[in-house]
Amino acid sequence: MNYSNKICIRYIMVRYLVFGGTGFVGRNLVQYLLDENVAEGVCVVDKIPPSMSWLNEKHKATFQDDRVQYVSCNLANNSNFAKIKEASGSAEFDYVVNLASENKLALPREVYEERVYQVSMNCAAYARDIKAKLFVEISTAQVYGMQGKLSKESDKHHPKYDFESCKSNVEKDLASIEGLKYVVLRPGVIYGVGDKYGYITSQLVVASVYSYLKETMQLIWKPSMYINLVHVEDMCRALVHVVNHGSPGEAYNIVDDGDTVLDTICKHTSAIFHMKYEYLSKITNILASFSLKDVAEGVNEKHLAPWSEMCTKDSITSTPLSPFIYSSQLESMNIRASNAKIKETGFSFRFPHVTEVLLRDVVEDFVQINVFPGSQLGSGSTSGS
């Protein structure tokens, strides 16, 4: 390997500019940069302020730290980037990280074009303009498609939905920004404390509903469906590691060593809420694949009223969490990627496998900020399947 083009910056005190920094990964990244004394300063740019981001006490303290500056900005509009310069003054940023993206499902294509593709390209152009040492674009392992194949970074992209299609286009077009030094990270499903809208939290919320109802949760997928994961702390660690030890212009898959499948997740959620689950027959699976919209409407009718009851009983008046399921979430995911390349750079995972304890941490954190009914923890019927 030719190391002459490697990014080998020592762990010195530097300044980070983090787009989308009040979101799930962003808040954990800012906390990590400060806790590990990696950064002497962090500028967080996001259209949603910390005060409206459902932060826990530790994350609130992070954003109140003197080393952290917040700038409100809609990144889809290039003219708004002047606010960053106005707010930061003469401060220079060594590294620019883009975590800003539209992650909501079932939106029109043009929304993703603006809030995913255009936002990423705007952020990358700004990183070039301020002569940042490196721009880090957070993409997704879903750009490979969802066939369950163990995908390497060199594999072709086969995005299934508009979100990952836009991310794939961003990756292709970053190279066209002259003078930009960048790397791309392709995480699997990220989970951990603060994940309000992700796949794992959705599973936890729905499982709690079935615990409350004392009913068996029925699944239309195969237990062997791949859902490769990465804990948010390892995601943050990998990002800083790549900044220091990665190669410019390269992409890196970020998934843990677990090669996780659906049944592993279900076993952990079952243990947390003491609820049963089962996989429906192959015939039912085939029938469901032709009417996922109807299936989604049915399960939402079943889930939403009990969730409201659960929240009311625990005096929860407002929560960002919901058991609502989009029809696209009922389709087979099969996200699987190789982490060999990132490990070749010397990176190792602190959380190589998802565990019941790690998922329980997510729920207990939500209980602490009063957005999840804690009475469901450890209640319900006898564990099964």
Side-chain angles (χ1 to χ4, degrees), residues 355-375:
T355 65
E356 178 189 336
V357 171
L358 292 175
L359 296 189
R360 185 178 287 272
D361 286 345
V362 176
V363 179
E364 291 180 345
D365 182 72
F366 285 138
V367 171
Q368 286 295 316
I369 64 173
N370 199 36
V371 298
F372 194 106
S375 58

Side-chain angles (χ1 to χ4, degrees), residues 33-44:
L33 293 174
L34 299 189
D35 286 353
E36 298 297 318
N37 291 314
V38 173
E40 64 177 347
V42 182
C43 180
V44 171

Side-chain angles (χ1 to χ4, degrees), residues 167-239:
K167 279 296 186 183
S168 178
N169 289 337
V170 169
E171 291 193 31
K172 295 173 186 175
D173 292 347
L174 285 177
S176 67
I177 301 178
E178 187 175 353
L180 178 70
K181 189 180 247 188
Y182 69 93
V183 294
V184 173
L185 303 187
R186 297 176 186 152
V189 173
I190 308 173
Y191 72 99
V193 169
D195 174 22
K196 303 185 298 294
Y197 308 119
Y199 177 84
I200 292 298
T201 294
S202 177
Q203 291 288 93
L204 291 168
V205 171
V206 170
S208 74
V209 171
Y210 281 93
S211 174
Y212 175 77
L213 294 172
K214 294 181 171 58
E215 293 184 12
T216 298
M217 182 168 66
Q218 297 180 321
L219 303 166
I220 64 172
W221 311 283
K222 294 180 179 179
S224 58
M225 181 176 75
Y226 288 102
I227 308 174
N228 281 188
L229 306 175
V230 60
H231 190 275
V232 68
E233 183 176 327
D234 276 331
M235 182 66 204
C236 297
R237 292 177 59 246
L239 189 155

Side-chain angles (χ1 to χ4, degrees), residues 78-356:
N78 244 332
S79 63
N80 288 335
F81 282 74
K83 295 180 181 179
I84 303 171
K85 184 66 176 176
E86 293 171 5
S88 58
S90 59
E92 296 183 354
F93 300 103
D94 299 279
Y95 304 115
V96 178
V97 179
N98 180 37
L99 291 160
S101 186
E102 178 56 77
N103 296 311
K104 292 180 181 177
L105 300 174
L107 297 175
R109 171 77 187 197
E110 54 267 26
V111 173
Y112 295 107
E113 289 283 358
E114 176 184 323
R115 300 180 188 174
V116 178
Y117 178 82
Q118 195 58 55
V119 164
S120 290
M121 297 304 290
N122 287 349
C123 293
Y126 186 78
R128 184 272 314 276
D129 292 344
I130 65 173
K131 297 180 172 57
K133 295 175 183 176
L134 189 71
F135 174 72
V136 184
E137 169 68 16
I138 310 303
S139 184
T140 171
Q142 295 178 51
V143 296
Y144 301 117
M146 299 185 183
Q147 295 85 22
K149 172 188 174 185
L150 187 63
S151 300
K152 298 179 181 179
E153 289 81 355
S154 58
D155 288 349
K156 291 183 178 180
H157 292 188
H158 299 283
K160 185 174 183 179
Y161 299 112
D162 290 334
F163 169 77
E164 48 264 34
S165 175
C166 287
K167 279 296 186 183
S168 178
N169 289 337
V170 169
E171 291 193 31
K172 295 173 186 175
D173 292 347
L174 285 177
S176 67
I177 301 178
E178 187 175 353
L180 178 70
K181 189 180 247 188
Y182 69 93
V183 294
V184 173
L185 303 187
R186 297 176 186 152
V189 173
I190 308 173
Y191 72 99
V193 169
D195 174 22
K196 303 185 298 294
Y197 308 119
Y199 177 84
I200 292 298
T201 294
S202 177
Q203 291 288 93
L204 291 168
V205 171
V206 170
S208 74
V209 171
Y210 281 93
S211 174
Y212 175 77
L213 294 172
K214 294 181 171 58
E215 293 184 12
T216 298
M217 182 168 66
Q218 297 180 321
L219 303 166
I220 64 172
W221 311 283
K222 294 180 179 179
S224 58
M225 181 176 75
Y226 288 102
I227 308 174
N228 281 188
L229 306 175
V230 60
H231 190 275
V232 68
E233 183 176 327
D234 276 331
M235 182 66 204
C236 297
R237 292 177 59 246
L239 189 155
V240 174
H241 177 86
V242 168
V243 161
N244 289 276
H245 303 288
S247 297
E250 292 291 323
Y252 298 88
N253 294 336
I254 312 296
V255 297
D256 64 27
D257 297 331
D259 202 19
T260 306
V261 296
L262 175 62
D263 199 54
T264 300
I265 298 168
C266 289
K267 285 177 179 176
H268 294 325
T269 55
S270 173
I272 292 170
F273 295 107
H274 297 286
M275 42 72 68
K276 294 181 179 181
Y277 66 96
E278 65 181 3
Y279 298 97
L280 300 182
S281 67
K282 292 181 180 179
I283 294 177
T284 306
N285 279 326
I286 293 171
L287 292 174
S289 68
F290 291 100
S291 56
L292 291 181
K293 183 178 180 180
D294 292 338
V295 174
E297 289 178 356
V299 297
N300 287 326
E301 185 176 341
K302 183 180 183 69
H303 295 168
L304 293 175
W307 174 251
S308 179
E309 292 175 9
M310 293 160 61
C311 290
T312 299
K313 286 184 177 181
D314 279 38
S315 300
I316 297 172
T317 58
S318 182
T319 176
L321 309 179
S322 173
F324 185 87
I325 298 294
Y326 292 92
S327 59
S328 60
Q329 290 176 281
L330 296 175
E331 297 184 35
S332 178
M333 292 183 68
N334 267 320
I335 302 170
R336 194 182 188 205
S338 168
N339 64 14
K341 185 174 179 179
I342 184 69
K343 294 177 77 171
E344 287 173 358
T345 67
F347 183 77
S348 61
F349 290 87
R350 185 168 293 168
F351 304 101
H353 307 273
V354 64
T355 65
E356 178 189 336

